[in-house]
């Protein structure tokens, strides 16, 4: 049975080349100009992979990924963009994207990304579901808790963290307890399984400590 790949991107030479490559791999390819158009038809589609522009008109690529996840679809998503910066790339990967490819596209990298997304589907979906769950837990942390978690992930002890951040040891311990509670764990090992084993990527939030 053919794999179903959907490309969400405004008409362009890049979109045509992505479609051609996926078809040459034996996939059935659908093309949409906007995220809204895809979401409108979502109930009628079986998706194995989505290739989308990060900067779509209307609902952008990250919002599209969020919408798919909200609907319980952990379909592998590959982002392409002519304007992918560090911030948007980190946010995309933290949200569960397979990868972010810069335009003009490297055909070999795109081929590898599509093959990874389609092989094997169930394993990829489970991994992405875990990453999404971990990302949602991490999003609950305040900026101060993120700062502590970053340094714990680097192997820093509480006293060193306190010195580096210019806060008291008691504050570090308090933030650590809050991280445990928000992650639903009761040990350092449990916390690190989420922070490291589930592809945690630092992404500070504006909420104060």
């Amino acid at each position: 049975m053919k794999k179903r790949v959907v490309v969400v991107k405004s008409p362009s030479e890049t979109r045509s080349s992505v479609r051609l490559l996926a078809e040459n791999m034996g996939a059935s390819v659908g093309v949409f100009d906007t995220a809204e158009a895809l979401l409108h038809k979502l109930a009628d589609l079986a998706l194995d992979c989505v290739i989308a522009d990060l900067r779509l008109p209307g609902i952008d690529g990250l919002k599209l990924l969020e919408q798919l996840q909200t609907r319980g679809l952990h379909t592998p998503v590959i982002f392409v963009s002519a304007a992918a910066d560090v911030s948007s790339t980190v946010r995309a990967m933290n949200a569960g994207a397979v990868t972010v490819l810069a335009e003009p596209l490297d055909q070999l990298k795109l081929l590898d990304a599509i093959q990874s997304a389609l092989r094997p589907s169930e394993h990829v979906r489970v991994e992405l579901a875990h990453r999404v769950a971990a990302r949602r837990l991490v999003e609950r942390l305040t900026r101060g808790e993120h700062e502590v978690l970053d340094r714990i992930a680097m192997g820093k002890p509480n006293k060193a963290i306190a010195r580096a951040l210019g806060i008291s040891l008691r504050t570090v311990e308090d933030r650590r307890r809050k991280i445990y509670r928000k992650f639903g764990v009761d040990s350092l090992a449990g916390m690190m399984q989420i922070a490291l084993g589930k592809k945690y990527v630092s992404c500070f939030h504006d909420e104060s400590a």
Side-chain angles (χ1 to χ4, degrees):
M1 184 176 180
K2 282 190 174 184
K3 297 292 186 180
R4 177 72 175 179
V5 174
V6 166
V7 181
V8 189
K9 188 170 176 61
S10 300
S12 64
E13 183 178 336
T14 296
R15 188 175 83 171
S16 298
S17 66
V18 170
R19 178 175 189 168
L20 181 61
L21 179 61
E23 287 177 339
N24 287 341
M25 294 173 65
S28 173
V29 182
V31 176
F32 296 88
D33 293 346
T34 65
E36 288 90 340
L38 169 59
L39 293 171
H40 181 69
K41 293 285 188 180
L42 201 56
D44 302 322
L45 298 174
L47 303 179
D48 292 299
C49 176
V50 174
I51 304 171
D53 198 328
L54 263 176
R55 298 194 175 184
L56 293 165
I59 297 176
D60 65 18
L62 287 173
K63 289 292 185 182
L64 171 60
L65 177 55
E66 182 181 316
Q67 287 280 338
L68 293 174
Q69 293 167 352
T70 298
R71 300 180 189 206
L73 298 175
H74 298 294
T75 304
V77 175
I78 298 167
F79 284 122
V80 298
S81 178
D85 54 21
V86 173
S87 176
S88 59
T89 298
V90 168
R91 286 190 293 125
M93 296 302 294
N94 205 30
V98 173
T99 191
V100 179
L101 300 176
E103 297 180 49
L105 291 176
D106 181 316
Q107 294 293 303
L108 290 178
K109 288 183 178 179
L110 177 60
L111 175 64
D112 182 63
I114 296 174
Q115 288 176 334
S116 296
L118 297 178
R119 176 194 72 235
S121 293
E122 187 57 32
H123 173 75
V124 172
R125 291 176 198 277
V126 169
E127 180 178 348
L128 288 176
H130 286 167
R131 288 172 61 182
V132 169
R135 187 256 302 176
R136 287 176 176 166
L137 289 175
V138 170
E139 284 180 341
R140 298 175 60 192
L141 302 183
T142 66
R143 182 186 180 92
E145 290 160 2
H146 268 289
E147 291 173 339
V148 169
L149 180 58
D150 281 341
R151 286 158 180 82
I152 292 174
M154 290 187 287
K156 303 293 184 181
N158 287 353
K159 289 183 179 179
I161 295 172
R163 286 195 300 271
L165 297 179
I167 57 179
S168 70
L169 178 60
R170 183 173 180 176
T171 298
V172 173
E173 292 169 345
D174 181 61
R175 290 178 183 176
R176 186 165 175 162
R177 282 193 295 269
K178 288 178 179 177
I179 295 170
Y180 279 22
R181 185 168 65 249
K182 290 179 179 181
F183 282 6
V185 299
D186 59 4
S187 68
L188 175 60
M191 181 177 68
M192 297 312 295
Q193 282 183 334
I194 294 173
L196 297 178
K198 303 302 184 185
K199 311 296 185 184
Y200 164 76
V201 178
S202 176
C203 184
F204 285 164
H205 293 256
D206 291 332
E207 185 182 353
S208 61

